[in-house]
């Protein structure tokens, strides 16, 4: 803090997510959900403690090594979609495959977009798509390359109830096909109920939900 | 596949970014401005190089103020060199009672030794010099005096020559810039017999030599010890030095104009990059989550930047190729009738310039992208640390200064230009800041104008940047158009109605009485007869005057050549003593000199120094007893150095005068030339007309380059508007949600940018008026005047243009549904 005091965002946490497991972290705004997600995904570093992702101790890796670990093996879905605005739906989905230097990236991306029902929208820019459609593109991008782990931050937070339900169905369908571990943070109880395990976070403390 | 290549794969996505599009436009404008000048200069340079020896009509030319000594010709003969004598001088000729000042060139076979002489005669095209008793007339001379080839007779001094052909081309003619008087070509022996080659005739003799390169070098070495101070050797490597100097100056000033456009384009690049980076940060964070390293993300964007700069440079060069056609149309024939096609070098110059501009203005800002934390995908407030703003501007300024020095090839000129730009920018920024402070209470007023004004005050640094960009662009345009025309008009008005319009030189002492009687009989107002001689300054005190002792070009020229030394008992009315005293007040019997202040400064002459002149082998020595300022634009007879009557004793002098002739008394010129064949009457009106035309065309060429400056100023405004576009979009969306009509928001945008234009134009008018006033008073000694046109043009055009540009830059915001903007967060 500017006055020199130290603020604890998260209390000591001991969490293990197994391969193929689906875990939801529930909590109100400001409870530390996104901070925890950032730490688990290697987007941020804890001031104390250890995070292991896919057998790698993230604290022992520099930022470039953590990025290389994410490439093709970790997927993300965000509340605000985070599509690159200048790229078409196809280009957005092909991007992680190209970064991972996978041959046939565009064909694979097109197949994924068809799977999420956007076969007719391949060349559309994000601004030409509705919110639900944008999140479907984001889902297709997240599952491109069949990631071992998928992190989702409030994936239905920016959508109406109907669109949110369809995105949830799609998310679980894709996860079932790929078999990824899924860790999602949400305050949507219905979404949480579909997960294998639900954790509750409040004021930085994590505990199994009742 | 590297990340840079991957970024190229997504080139279409990059082009969709408005910041990058603006960056392309800015690089394009800067490169177009600069390469149009580079292409033009390249064509002239290639003409100079390609034509080589033909520009000289020989391998080596010996220039000499006196007839070429026979010994020199004999030596050339011994070395087996071909040779031809030539001479040139200005004189007045008469054809069918019509007089005209011409530049006489006299040659003998086998001129030209290189290149082709082309003359149209009634018998067809010939390529030889005129025979004895005949003359070749340049086309404009033939037309001006309505001469008929094969029939008309040319009166040249004591001779009557037949106009036998029209001179189409001569290899060593140079360009039109230096040809104020039309050409008359005669045989060498005819010129000698004309009686016009007296001491004050300004004749220059030449010996043209051609042959084996080794023998030419031996001749050159042989001549080296024999040349006198007024002589010179010209080889093809330094042929047409006046063309090279003119090209150098033209390139320098046009480059400065282009650099003004580049500076504004650079500011636009800087702002556009900021906008691009702001928008790219989210995407860069996403790329990091997708597994890209920070370096790879930076390479991705560098690849895109490099690609667009290359494309923009290419397009800018093509636009420059079109632009140089305009420069060639305006200035091309100053350097010859036909210019070769440009080479590839200007493309390379444009590429390097575009890349340097991008590196200096875009790279420091772009580096932020490589520092974006991946956590930004979850926490948008996570910023990417960048360089300090002042450091970004300092780096850009340093790179730009480097580009200036590179382009104008003159550190001092570049430093002055940079200082002038800096002062203008500081004045604009301070004045803008002050005006914004003064206007800020208006924020509390209601209405659309207040909304617009509030936006200006809310983004003060952007407002000041826009003001500076537009203010600078409009100031430069105003100075070149309205203020320049105003100064020329004021100068013309400052001349009296009967200011002398003719000069007469080379009147012999014995002809004075008859000549004065002729003027008196015709009632011609004149400045009186003034004695003069041609003299070379050989010593200042004990110090010998040697050209190589001076670094200043003008001083070297003055030290090398003879110049007019005047004599008189009375000081001219338009002179003013700056130091010392005029001799009529003290001891008129003593030999003394009075020196013009400017030339005294140039040559390092102090009051009290003893000057020694060489007048045709005779030495004259006297102290400097006064320093004078001279009103050169009065058209009276004036001299750099005037001697007391006692200094002229025993010297061979001729007389000169200036007088005013009305159109009705033009016949007097013919009578004068017939009665006194050795004199030359110079009508300065056509010369003034031509000088003015040269100034006009030069200024139009600079104006043309300044059009790029105006476009660049527009880009700065668009770029500045885009930097705040996201905030503006949210403001507009909120206002529309709260019920503001599109019409009202449009009015607010127009008020905001109109006010910006009003301030920018007003400040530009102020700067241009102040600069114009200073230029008129300090540089030209004219009465200072502030024209209403400057203010009208600055304020009205500034307001309208900036309002239009601002509206174009923001109109799309008004068409976006508010919900889309608000949902986008």
């Amino acid at each position: 803090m500017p006055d020199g005091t130290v603020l604890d965002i998260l209390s000591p946490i001991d969490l293990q997510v197994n391969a193929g497991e689906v875990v939801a972290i529930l909590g109100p705004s400001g409870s530390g959900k996104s901070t925890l997600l950032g730490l688990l995904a290697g987007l941020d570093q804890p001031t104390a403690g250890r995070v292991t992702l896919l057998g790698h101790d993230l604290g022992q890796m520099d930022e470039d090594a953590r990025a290389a670990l994410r490439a093709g093996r970790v997927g993300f879905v965000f509340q605000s979609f985070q599509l690159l605005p200048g790229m078409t739906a196809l280009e957005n989905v092909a991007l992680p495959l190209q970064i991972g230097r996978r041959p046939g990236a565009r064909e694979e991306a097109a197949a994924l977009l068809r799977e999420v029902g956007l076969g007719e929208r391949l060349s559309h820019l994000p601004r030409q798509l509705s919110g639900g459609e944008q999140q479907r593109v984001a889902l297709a991008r997240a599952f491109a390359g069949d990631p071992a782990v998928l992190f989702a931050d409030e994936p239905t937070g920016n959508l109406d109830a109907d669109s949110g339900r369809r995105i949830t169905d799609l998310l679980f369908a894709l996860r079932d096909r790929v078999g990824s571990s899924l860790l999602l943070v949400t305050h949507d109880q219905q979404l949480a109920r579909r997960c294998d395990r639900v954790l509750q976070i409040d004021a930085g403390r994590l505990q199994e939900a009742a | 596949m590297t990340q840079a290549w991957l970024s190229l794969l997504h080139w279409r996505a990059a082009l969709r970014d408005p910041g990058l599009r603006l960056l392309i436009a800015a690089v394009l404008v800067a490169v177009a401005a600069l390469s149009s000048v580079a292409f033009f200069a390249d064509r002239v340079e290639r003409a100079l190089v390609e034509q080589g020896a033909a520009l000289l009509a020989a391998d080596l030319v010996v220039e000499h103020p006196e007839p070429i000594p026979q010994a020199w010709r004999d030596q050339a003969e011994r070395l087996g060199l071909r040779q031809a004598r030539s001479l040139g001088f200005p004189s007045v000729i008469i054809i069918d009672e019509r007089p005209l000042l011409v530049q006489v060139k006299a040659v003998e076979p086998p001129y030209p030794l290189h290149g082709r002489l082309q003359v149209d005669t009634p018998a067809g095209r010939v390529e030889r010099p005129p025979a004895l008793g005949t003359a070749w007339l340049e086309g404009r001379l033939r037309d001006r005096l309505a001469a008929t080839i094969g029939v008309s007779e040319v009166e040249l001094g004591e001779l009557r020559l037949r106009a036998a052909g029209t001179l189409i081309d001569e290899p060593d003619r140079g360009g039109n810039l230096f040809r104020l008087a039309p050409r008359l070509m005669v045989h060498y022996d005819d010129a000698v017999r004309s009686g016009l080659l007296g001491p004050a005739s300004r004749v220059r003799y030449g010996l043209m030599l051609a042959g084996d390169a080794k023998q030419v070098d031996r001749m050159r070495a042989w001549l080296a010890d024999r040349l006198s101070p007024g002589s010179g050797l010209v080889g093809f490597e330094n042929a047409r030095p006046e063309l090279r100097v003119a090209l150098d100056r033209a390139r320098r000033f046009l480059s400065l104009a282009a650099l003004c456009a580049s500076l504004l384009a650079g500011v636009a690049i800087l702002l556009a990059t900021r906008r691009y980076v702001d928008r790219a940060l989210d995407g860069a964070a996403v790329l990091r989550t997708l597994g890209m390293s920070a370096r790879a993300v930076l390479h991705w964007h560098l690849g895109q930047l490099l690609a667009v700069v290359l494309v923009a440079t290419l397009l800018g060069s093509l636009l420059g190729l079109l632009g140089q056609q305009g420069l060639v149309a305006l200035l091309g024939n100053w350097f010859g009738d036909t210019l070769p096609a440009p080479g590839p070098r200007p493309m390379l110059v444009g590429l390097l310039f575009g890349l340097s501009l991008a590196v200096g203005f875009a790279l420091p800002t772009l580096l932020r992208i490589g520092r974006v934390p991946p956590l930004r995908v979850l926490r948008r407030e996570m910023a990417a640390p960048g360089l300090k703003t002042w450091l970004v501007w300092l780096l850009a300024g340093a790179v730009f200064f480097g580009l200036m020095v590179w382009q104008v090839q003159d550190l001092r000129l570049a430093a002055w230009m940079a200082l002038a730009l800096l002062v203008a920018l500081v004045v604009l920024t301070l004045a803008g800041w002050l005006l914004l402070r003064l206007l800020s209470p208006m924020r509390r007023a209601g209405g659309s104008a207040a909304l617009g004004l509030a936006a200006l005050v809310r983004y003060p640094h952007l407002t000041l940047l826009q003001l500076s960009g537009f203010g600078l662009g409009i100031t430069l345009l105003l100075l070149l158009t309205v203020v320049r025309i105003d100064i020329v008009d004021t100068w013309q008005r400052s001349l009296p109605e009967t200011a002398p319009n003719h000069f007469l030189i080379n009147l012999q002492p014995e002809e004075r009485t008859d000549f004065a009687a002729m003027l008196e009989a015709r009632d011609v107002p004149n400045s009186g007869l003034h004695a003069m001689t041609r003299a070379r300054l050989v010593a200042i005190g004990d110090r010998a005057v040697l050209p190589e002792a001076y670094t200043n070009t003008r001083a070297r020229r003055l030290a090398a050549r003879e110049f007019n030394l005047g004599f008189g008992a009375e000081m001219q009315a338009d002179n003013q003593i700056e130091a010392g005293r005029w001799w009529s007040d003290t001891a008129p019997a003593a030999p003394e000199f009075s020196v013009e202040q400017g030339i005294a400064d140039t040559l390092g002459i102090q009051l009290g120094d003893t000057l020694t002149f060489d007048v045709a082998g005779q030495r004259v020595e006297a102290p400097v007893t006064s320093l004078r300022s001279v009103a050169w634009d009065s058209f009276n007879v004036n001299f750099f150095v005037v001697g007391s009557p006692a200094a002229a004793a025993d010297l061979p002098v001729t007389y000169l005068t200036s007088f005013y002739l009305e159109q009705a008394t033009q016949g007097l010129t013919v009578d004068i030339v017939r009665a006194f064949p050795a004199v030359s009457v110079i009508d300065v009106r056509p010369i003034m007309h031509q000088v003015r035309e040269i100034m006009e065309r030069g200024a139009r060429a600079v104006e043309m380059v300044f059009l790029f400056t105006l476009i660049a100023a527009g880009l700065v405004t668009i770029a500045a508007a885009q930097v705040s576009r996201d905030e503006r979009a949210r403001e507009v969306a909120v206002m529309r949600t709260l019920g503001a009509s599109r019409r009202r928001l449009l009015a607010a945008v127009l008020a905001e940018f109109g006010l910006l234009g009003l301030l920018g134009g007003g400040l530009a008018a102020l700067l241009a008026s102040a600069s114009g006033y200073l230029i008129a008073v300090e540089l030209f000694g004219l009465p200072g005047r502030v024209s209403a046109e400057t203010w009208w043009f600055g304020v009205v055009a500034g307001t309208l243009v900036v309002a239009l540009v601002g509206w174009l830059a923001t109109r799309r915001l008004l068409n976006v549904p508010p919900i889309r903007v608000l949902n986008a967060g």
Side-chain angles (χ1 to χ4, degrees), chain B residues 379-726:
Chain B
R379 297 178 176 279
R380 202 159 180 275
E381 68 277 12
M382 294 291 286
L387 297 176
K388 297 274 183 203
T389 308
W390 65 267
L391 190 59
V392 170
W393 283 94
L394 188 70
L395 285 172
V399 168
F400 188 74
F401 184 69
L403 290 176
M404 273 175 96
V405 175
W406 172 40
Q407 283 304 309
V408 300
Q409 301 276 305
D410 184 336
L411 183 65
R412 205 161 152 242
L413 185 62
W416 275 112
M417 178 75 178
L419 189 68
L421 284 171
L422 194 67
V423 168
L425 286 172
V426 168
V427 167
L428 281 163
T429 308
L430 284 178
W433 179 78
L434 193 67
L435 282 168
L436 282 177
R437 291 280 303 231
L438 290 172
L439 289 171
S440 60
M442 274 183 67
R443 283 179 73 172
R444 287 189 285 274
S448 305
L451 274 179
L453 187 61
L456 281 181
V457 180
R458 236 184 347 265
Y459 307 107
H461 60 290
L462 280 180
T463 302
L464 292 178
L465 205 62
Q466 286 172 312
L467 261 182
S468 304
F470 255 92
L472 195 62
I474 299 172
T475 303
L476 294 170
L477 281 174
L478 284 175
L479 270 175
L480 273 167
T481 52
V482 185
V483 175
R484 174 178 57 84
I485 293 166
D486 206 42
I487 288 176
V488 173
D489 286 348
T490 307
W491 170 63
Q492 285 181 333
R493 274 199 299 272
S494 73
L495 291 176
E497 286 282 312
T498 56
N501 53 16
H502 287 71
F503 281 81
L504 179 140
I505 58 171
N506 210 20
L507 188 74
Q508 301 305 310
E510 63 276 14
E511 295 172 328
R512 270 185 299 168
T513 319
D514 290 346
F515 179 75
M518 183 185 260
L519 287 191
E520 201 176 328
R522 310 279 181 105
D523 200 20
V524 175
N526 64 82
S527 62
L529 288 170
H530 303 270
M532 61 149 282
T533 192
R534 298 284 289 169
R536 201 172 69 78
L537 181 64
V538 289
I540 302 169
D542 298 333
R543 179 163 49 96
V545 175
L546 299 169
E548 52 272 25
Y550 295 96
T551 49
N552 180 304
T553 320
R554 182 166 175 245
R556 291 175 79 101
R557 200 172 57 242
L558 289 166
R561 299 212 162 174
E562 290 184 329
F563 58 91
N564 294 338
L565 177 61
F567 300 97
E570 302 296 327
M571 189 174 69
Q572 284 285 60
D574 55 10
N575 287 199
Q576 199 177 330
I577 294 289
E578 299 291 336
R581 278 191 297 178
W582 188 255
W583 41 77
S584 55
D585 301 341
T586 54
E592 295 172 32
F593 286 125
S594 173
V595 184
E596 191 260 346
Q597 182 80 59
I599 200 174
D601 292 343
T602 306
L603 291 173
I605 298 172
Q606 309 281 334
L607 193 67
D609 281 348
T610 299
L611 303 185
T612 308
F613 284 94
D614 181 328
V615 181
Q618 209 174 324
R619 295 282 167 124
V620 54
E621 193 177 294
V624 177
T625 54
S626 64
L627 297 176
R628 292 164 296 129
S629 61
V630 175
W632 292 108
D633 59 356
S634 67
F635 284 80
N636 287 322
V637 172
N638 270 304
F639 299 97
F640 283 126
V641 182
V642 180
S644 64
D650 305 326
L651 292 179
V653 294
T654 59
Y655 287 82
L656 82 160
T657 186
S658 64
F659 52 89
Y660 173 76
L661 278 189
E662 286 176 24
Q663 206 66 32
T665 53
Q666 287 290 295
L668 178 65
T669 318
V670 178
D671 295 343
I672 290 172
V673 175
R674 288 219 173 112
F676 310 99
V679 305
S680 290
V681 183
I682 302 164
D683 182 352
V684 295
R685 288 169 305 175
I687 295 174
M688 288 311 301
H689 177 76
Q690 204 164 343
V691 167
R692 185 165 183 180
E693 195 192 304
I694 287 170
M695 281 169 60
E696 286 288 324
R697 287 167 69 185
R700 282 221 304 275
V702 178
E703 272 169 34
M704 208 192 89
V705 179
F706 264 106
L707 272 182
F708 290 112
T709 306
L710 198 63
I711 298 170
L715 289 177
V716 170
T717 291
I718 294 172
Q722 286 215 345
V723 168
S724 60
R725 192 184 154 95
D726 292 339

Side-chain angles (χ1 to χ4, degrees), chain A residues 9 34-35 37-39 42-44 63-64 67-68 70-72 74 76 78 80 82 84-88 91-92 95-96 98-99 101 106 125 127 141 153 158, chain B residues 1-3 6 9-10 12-14 16-17 279 282-284 286-295 300 304 373-380 382 812 820 823:
Chain A
I9 305 295
S34 295
T35 303
L37 188 76
L39 291 172
L43 303 179
D44 201 2
E63 177 46 43
D64 283 350
R70 286 194 294 269
V74 178
F76 288 92
F78 305 104
S80 53
Q82 297 287 16
L84 298 183
M87 291 189 183
T88 61
E91 288 167 340
N92 263 290
L95 191 59
Q98 288 167 332
I99 292 171
R101 302 178 189 190
R106 289 177 73 86
L125 292 170
R127 68 167 184 270
R141 183 178 69 183
D153 178 30
N158 254 0
Chain B
M1 188 175 9
T2 66
Q3 303 310 336
L6 183 56
L9 205 64
H10 293 283
R12 269 186 306 201
R16 288 185 193 113
D17 187 277
R279 281 172 63 94
D282 289 340
V286 172
L287 290 175
R288 300 285 303 276
T289 64
L290 294 179
M292 263 195 189
S293 67
R295 184 183 292 182
W300 166 290
Q304 287 187 340
L375 196 59
R376 189 180 163 94
V377 291
L378 298 174
R379 297 178 176 279
R380 202 159 180 275
M382 294 291 286
R812 285 180 65 188
R820 190 187 291 179
N823 278 346

Side-chain angles (χ1 to χ4, degrees), chain B residues 203-452:
Chain B
V203 62
R204 290 286 290 171
Y205 293 88
L207 179 63
M208 300 175 149
L209 300 165
D212 178 73
K214 280 186 184 163
Q215 302 296 46
V216 171
D217 283 345
R218 288 180 66 185
M219 184 71 191
R220 193 193 291 264
W222 185 86
L223 282 166
D225 300 334
R226 292 167 172 83
L227 294 175
S228 57
S231 314
L233 285 178
V234 186
F236 68 87
E237 70 284 351
N238 58 348
R240 314 290 339 166
E242 75 282 13
L243 280 185
R244 290 183 192 279
V245 169
L247 171 64
D248 196 37
R249 285 192 183 149
R251 180 172 38 199
R252 221 170 258 185
F253 284 102
L254 291 173
S255 292
L256 282 178
L259 282 165
C260 286
S262 305
L263 175 65
L264 292 178
V267 174
I269 289 173
L270 205 148
L271 293 175
T273 310
R274 198 170 131 185
R275 161 87 168 147
Y276 171 74
V277 169
D278 282 347
R279 281 172 63 94
L281 286 179
D282 289 340
V286 172
L287 290 175
R288 300 285 303 276
T289 64
L290 294 179
M292 263 195 189
S293 67
R295 184 183 292 182
V297 171
L298 186 61
H299 285 177
W300 166 290
H301 287 278
L302 282 176
Q304 287 187 340
L305 181 74
L306 185 70
V308 298
V309 168
L310 286 174
V311 171
T313 304
L314 192 69
L315 292 175
S317 293
L318 292 175
L319 202 62
L321 202 57
L322 284 176
Q324 60 88 31
Q325 291 289 5
L327 291 178
V328 169
L330 285 167
L331 311 179
N333 72 344
W334 286 6
F335 301 96
D337 286 335
T338 50
L339 293 177
R345 193 173 166 274
M347 292 280 275
L348 197 64
V349 170
L351 178 72
L352 279 176
F353 189 81
L355 280 174
S356 309
L357 210 59
V359 166
F361 285 82
L363 194 61
T365 308
L366 199 74
L367 293 176
R368 272 179 74 205
I369 288 183
R371 298 181 177 186
V372 66
L375 196 59
R376 189 180 163 94
V377 291
L378 298 174
R379 297 178 176 279
R380 202 159 180 275
E381 68 277 12
M382 294 291 286
L387 297 176
K388 297 274 183 203
T389 308
W390 65 267
L391 190 59
V392 170
W393 283 94
L394 188 70
L395 285 172
V399 168
F400 188 74
F401 184 69
L403 290 176
M404 273 175 96
V405 175
W406 172 40
Q407 283 304 309
V408 300
Q409 301 276 305
D410 184 336
L411 183 65
R412 205 161 152 242
L413 185 62
W416 275 112
M417 178 75 178
L419 189 68
L421 284 171
L422 194 67
V423 168
L425 286 172
V426 168
V427 167
L428 281 163
T429 308
L430 284 178
W433 179 78
L434 193 67
L435 282 168
L436 282 177
R437 291 280 303 231
L438 290 172
L439 289 171
S440 60
M442 274 183 67
R443 283 179 73 172
R444 287 189 285 274
S448 305
L451 274 179

Side-chain angles (χ1 to χ4, degrees), chain A:
Chain A
M1 297 298 286
D3 61 0
T5 57
V6 177
L7 192 65
D8 286 330
I9 305 295
L10 296 172
S11 300
I13 286 170
D14 186 6
L15 170 66
Q16 180 170 332
V17 179
N18 299 318
E21 193 178 12
V22 179
V23 178
I25 300 173
L26 273 172
S29 296
S31 59
K33 298 191 299 286
S34 295
T35 303
L36 179 60
L37 188 76
L39 291 172
L40 296 176
L43 303 179
D44 201 2
Q45 283 288 81
T47 49
R50 198 158 71 98
V51 180
T52 305
L53 178 64
L54 297 169
H56 297 268
D57 182 352
L58 297 180
Q60 300 300 312
M61 303 167 81
D62 64 11
E63 177 46 43
D64 283 350
R66 290 198 295 271
L69 175 65
R70 286 194 294 269
R73 302 175 69 187
V74 178
F76 288 92
V77 182
F78 305 104
Q79 179 179 2
S80 53
F81 321 136
Q82 297 287 16
L83 299 176
L84 298 183
M87 291 189 183
T88 61
L90 181 69
E91 288 167 340
N92 263 290
V93 178
L95 191 59
L97 299 169
Q98 288 167 332
I99 292 171
R101 302 178 189 190
R102 289 262 288 255
R106 289 177 73 86
E107 292 73 19
E108 197 175 328
L112 268 166
L113 281 166
R114 278 191 287 275
E115 190 177 347
V116 298
L118 292 175
E120 306 298 314
R121 306 272 185 152
L122 302 185
S123 57
H124 281 57
L125 292 170
R127 68 167 184 270
Q128 295 166 323
L129 302 170
S130 69
E133 287 172 329
Q134 287 188 52
Q135 194 61 307
R136 276 194 271 167
V137 175
L139 277 181
R141 183 178 69 183
F143 282 100
D146 302 335
V149 184
L150 192 101
F151 293 98
D153 178 30
E154 302 277 12
T156 58
N158 254 0
L159 303 172
D160 59 66
D162 198 34
S163 300
R165 210 163 25 251
R166 272 183 291 188
I167 286 296
T168 307
D169 291 344
L170 201 52
L171 171 65
F172 280 88
L174 285 167
R175 194 222 70 86
D176 290 344
R177 176 173 71 72
V178 175
S180 320
S181 303
L182 172 61
L183 196 144
L184 59 88
V185 298
T186 181
H187 53 252
D188 181 345
Q189 297 280 355
Q190 281 192 328
L191 173 58
R193 269 197 289 275
R194 297 180 64 168
C195 299
D196 301 334
R197 188 149 59 113
V198 179
L199 302 170
Q200 181 77 40
I201 188 167
D202 197 6
R205 292 177 189 285
L206 190 71
Q207 57 191 16
E208 294 284 338

